[in-house]
Amino acid sequence: MKKILLSKKTLRTAGLFMLLLAFNSANAQLQKGFTPRYSETITGDFTMIANNVLSRHATNAYNGNGSNHDFSDNVFVDIDSDPTTFNSSSANLVNPSPGSSCMTIERVFLYWAAADKEYEVNGSGTIIAGTGGVEPSWNYNDIKLMLPGSSTYEPTITADEVIYRGRDDHFVNDPYICVKDITSWVQDLSDPFGTYQVANVKATEGQLLSHGGGRTGTSGGWQIVVVWQSPLMPQKHITLFDGYAHITSTENNFDITFDGFQTVPNGDVKANMVMGSLEGDKGISRDQLLILNTSNRWEPLSTPIRQSNNFFNSSITTHGSDFLDRIPASSNTLGYDASLFDLDNKNNSLITNNQTSATVRMTSDQEVYGLYLLGMAVEVYEPSLHSLDLYATPSDENPRTGEIVQIYLDVANTGNDNIRDLSFTTTVPEEMDFIGVEPLPYGEITYDFNTTTRVLTFNVADGLTDVTSAPYTIQYSVRVKDDAYFSSIPACTFNSESQTLATYMGEINMTQQVSNSSFTFDDCGIGNGDPTNIVIHITDVQAPVFAENLP
């Protein structure tokens, strides 16, 4: 009998890819190398919300064409009436899969980034950075967060990691980037969709002249990236990289190579990306985001809002449109960029079938900007054993000493690639003796039991676990040891745990994969990867010892 555990928590896939990340930073100021924050293959996707914290007015949207360096009096956005906050803005997260009852949140990352040059006035009274007053007394790696359904901020949040801080090096405009994993907070909400409000993102207000003397201008904002999954979605390999690369007209051509996936063998290859950066300007062009296409040429990417020669243009966009479900909803975010966009992969000209990597380049011959986040989700070809079920019948889940227990392993390939080189291994617990394997009618499964290591191995012939193959069950017997074995155990029951490990690869995607069996499953039927537990009832053969004389 299968056990089902209802849960709203997310399930991380058991199979992990090794992600090889290559950088070419010879011509870019790579202040912090990009590393994977998240790398998984799931039946899902990512989405994002974001907003800026510096604008022309505290509460009104700015929709002009000015660039952030055009102004010396930018102010903090501040939409709340809370005297403990010096800036605040909000954005709404909507359900990306409203028709799916099994949609779950996998991971949630909150980024905040800003130009944070220390406030300064020179000897002649000229403002170098700031407003001429005192900068906010606030730790740059702290923020305030208000979650959906709440009217108050959570206790102050401190970053899990400071990805980079420019003040440590007095670098240009002293940018910093922080990140916080807020997955558990969002998962604990009865409804994770609604308004997220972020406050006290430390930044330089007013004017900002860089350490080199140029008018760089103020910039800052926050971004929440949500990775979600649903059994109704195709499999995607999702990677999120963060770091900090400063691109200029003379220091550019910064490359990131996504690896560790294999695209579908035929048909349209679909992929989408997420990006976050500082200092891009609406009025300065010739900055580009390019991809090395299938003809080995650099192809500029674009969307209806982001032109191919001005991709980093001070805007917050999703799927080719301005993301306006936020307060304030400025179309010009004055030096802050965040975007979620689909690759326009007509005729598979950018990424093609059976492709295993993709290289993206950031460049410029006029504009200056700083990239801190780049992610890609690409549909992949992959087998899956994420519903591997190890269990005993109800009558066998609570055996007594000396009884024989039947163990079952249900196998089904839920992926889109045929499984090759499949083997299952499990270690028979010390408190049980291996009896034997029930007849394997398939004629294509062999087994071996090592009496020294107690490892039981099943090897499955290719073709039995294809995408179109029927699910099958492997059954074997164990015998619970006699009372004498448990004589030193004071309790009346003993919990015996077992788990099966599957190793395999795909027919097309030959990346080695590993899956663990599960005893419990979430409400969408996906295994939680936990050991199978059998409760052994021990017969009490020892006479009681009374603490005092009986009456």
Side-chain angles (χ1 to χ4, degrees):
M1 178 180 181
K2 300 181 182 180
K3 290 185 175 291
I4 304 297
L5 177 65
L6 298 181
S7 172
K8 292 184 178 180
K9 304 300 183 183
T10 61
L11 171 70
R12 180 169 297 184
T13 58
L16 295 178
F17 281 98
M18 177 62 71
L19 181 68
L20 303 177
L21 186 60
F23 298 104
N24 176 4
S25 57
N27 295 317
Q29 297 185 65
L30 184 62
Q31 299 304 110
K32 175 63 183 294
F34 280 66
T35 55
R37 180 70 51 183
Y38 176 88
S39 176
E40 297 282 352
T41 296
I42 63 172
T43 53
D45 207 339
F46 52 47
T47 187
M48 66 137 234
I49 58 173
N51 215 337
N52 63 321
V53 297
L54 288 152
S55 192
R56 302 298 300 145
H57 191 274
T59 57
N60 296 340
Y62 175 64
N63 300 318
N65 294 318
S67 296
N68 62 326
H69 64 270
D70 291 341
F71 306 106
S72 59
D73 56 350
N74 286 333
V75 300
F76 283 131
V77 174
D78 199 7
I79 64 171
D80 64 23
S81 56
D82 189 335
T84 67
T85 66
F86 52 88
N87 63 38
S88 58
S89 57
S90 69
N92 289 330
L93 176 67
V94 299
N95 190 336
S97 183
S100 175
S101 60
C102 286
M103 184 269 188
T104 53
I105 301 297
E106 165 73 7
R107 295 294 291 276
V108 186
F109 298 105
L110 170 58
Y111 291 88
W112 62 100
D116 189 37
K117 193 168 186 287
E118 59 270 24
Y119 284 28
E120 180 184 357
V121 178
N122 67 14
S124 62
T126 301
I127 297 175
I128 304 300
T131 60
V134 178
E135 65 181 279
S137 178
W138 186 259
N139 293 327
Y140 72 98
N141 59 335
D142 289 343
I143 57 166
K144 288 180 173 289
L145 173 65
M146 188 184 300
L147 295 166
S150 176
S151 59
T152 59
Y153 290 104
E154 299 293 320
T156 298
I157 291 176
T158 299
D160 291 332
E161 180 184 349
V162 177
I163 296 173
Y164 175 68
R165 192 189 188 202
R167 278 199 188 188
D168 295 338
D169 307 320
H170 299 295
F171 181 73
V172 189
N173 57 344
D174 291 344
Y176 75 88
I177 303 94
C178 291
V179 63
K180 178 72 174 181
D181 187 331
I182 60 171
T183 303
S184 60
W185 295 9
V186 176
Q187 290 175 346
D188 286 341
L189 296 172
S190 59
D191 184 357
F193 306 110
T195 300
Y196 289 78
Q197 188 161 303
V198 175
N200 285 9
V201 176
K202 182 76 163 54
T204 301
E205 192 182 21
Q207 169 146 289
L208 197 157
L209 304 180
S210 70
H211 287 288
R215 177 175 282 183
T216 305
T218 63
S219 58
W222 57 270
Q223 184 175 13
I224 295 177
V225 180
V226 179
V227 181
W228 58 276
Q229 68 172 358
S230 166
L232 303 179
M233 287 290 294
Q235 290 193 105
K236 283 191 173 184
H237 185 59
I238 297 176
T239 53
L240 298 173
F241 305 139
D242 52 43
Y244 190 70
H246 191 73
I247 292 98
T248 71
S249 60
T250 57
E251 296 173 293
N252 46 41
N253 292 352
F254 172 69
D255 298 349
I256 295 180
T257 297
F258 296 81
D259 207 339
F261 61 83
Q262 180 151 352
T263 58
V264 293
N266 49 63
D268 295 336
V269 176
K270 299 177 182 179
N272 49 300
M273 299 188 70
V274 64
M275 173 273 292
S277 72
L278 288 173
E279 208 180 322
D281 293 295
K282 184 175 289 291
I284 301 179
S285 61
R286 305 216 299 267
D287 53 89
Q288 293 183 311
L289 180 67
L290 309 101
I291 190 169
L292 191 63
N293 67 18
T294 55
S295 300
N296 205 36
R297 294 194 298 267
W298 290 107
E299 179 76 20
L301 300 178
S302 64
T303 74
I305 302 296
R306 299 180 181 277
Q307 299 177 0
S308 61
N309 68 339
N310 191 12
F311 194 87
F312 301 89
N313 62 1
S314 287
S315 62
I316 297 175
T317 60
T318 54
H319 303 296
S321 301
D322 282 317
F323 173 58
L324 301 176
D325 198 3
R326 53 194 172 93
I327 300 176
S330 299
S331 61
N332 184 345
T333 46
L334 290 174
Y336 183 71
D337 273 289
S339 183
L340 173 71
F341 60 97
D342 301 322
L343 288 184
D344 187 9
N345 193 28
K346 292 180 181 177
N347 301 317
N348 289 352
S349 60
L350 302 181
I351 302 177
T352 192
N353 302 122
N354 295 323
Q355 187 166 322
T356 58
S357 66
T359 302
V360 180
R361 168 173 289 183
M362 279 62 63
T363 190
S364 175
D365 64 2
Q366 178 173 275
E367 170 70 298
V368 175
Y369 60 96
L371 182 81
Y372 67 83
L373 170 67
L374 194 66
M376 178 182 285
V378 57
E379 287 190 12
V380 298
Y381 210 63
E382 181 182 276
S384 173
L385 289 176
H386 298 150
S387 297
L388 200 61
D389 188 5
L390 183 69
Y391 62 99
T393 58
S395 60
D396 288 340
E397 286 180 358
N398 296 278
R400 293 189 176 276
T401 54
E403 292 185 350
I404 293 178
V405 178
Q406 300 293 324
I407 305 296
Y408 302 86
L409 180 67
D410 285 350
V411 183
N413 183 356
T414 58
N416 58 0
D417 192 2
N418 297 327
I419 287 179
R420 296 293 179 262
D421 295 339
L422 172 61
S423 66
F424 299 103
T425 58
T426 187
T427 300
V428 176
E430 290 285 345
E431 59 273 10
M432 295 181 178
D433 292 323
F434 175 69
I435 300 299
V437 173
E438 296 300 312
L440 299 172
Y442 316 104
E444 297 178 286
I445 303 177
T446 59
Y447 79 94
D448 175 74
F449 179 67
N450 188 313
T451 56
T452 302
T453 63
R454 305 180 63 80
V455 174
L456 176 61
T457 303
F458 293 93
N459 294 303
V460 182
D462 293 348
L464 188 62
T465 326
D466 288 348
V467 174
T468 57
S469 299
Y472 57 88
T473 301
I474 295 173
Q475 180 182 350
Y476 61 94
S477 304
V478 294
R479 179 182 179 275
V480 181
K481 289 186 176 179
D482 294 328
D483 292 323
Y485 178 84
F486 301 95
S487 61
S488 62
I489 299 175
C492 295
T493 60
F494 180 88
N495 291 331
S496 177
E497 291 188 345
S498 298
Q499 193 160 37
T500 297
L501 180 73
T503 58
Y504 56 99
M505 63 178 61
E507 183 177 36
I508 296 175
N509 184 348
M510 300 180 68
T511 302
Q512 186 71 43
Q513 299 198 50
V514 175
S515 296
N516 286 316
S517 66
S518 298
F519 185 49
T520 60
F521 291 75
D522 68 8
D523 50 354
C524 297
I526 300 175
N528 293 307
D530 55 333
T532 296
N533 185 47
I534 295 177
V535 180
I536 298 172
H537 292 265
I538 305 169
T539 303
D540 188 357
V541 297
Q542 295 183 355
V545 177
F546 296 98
E548 58 185 32
N549 293 330
L550 294 178

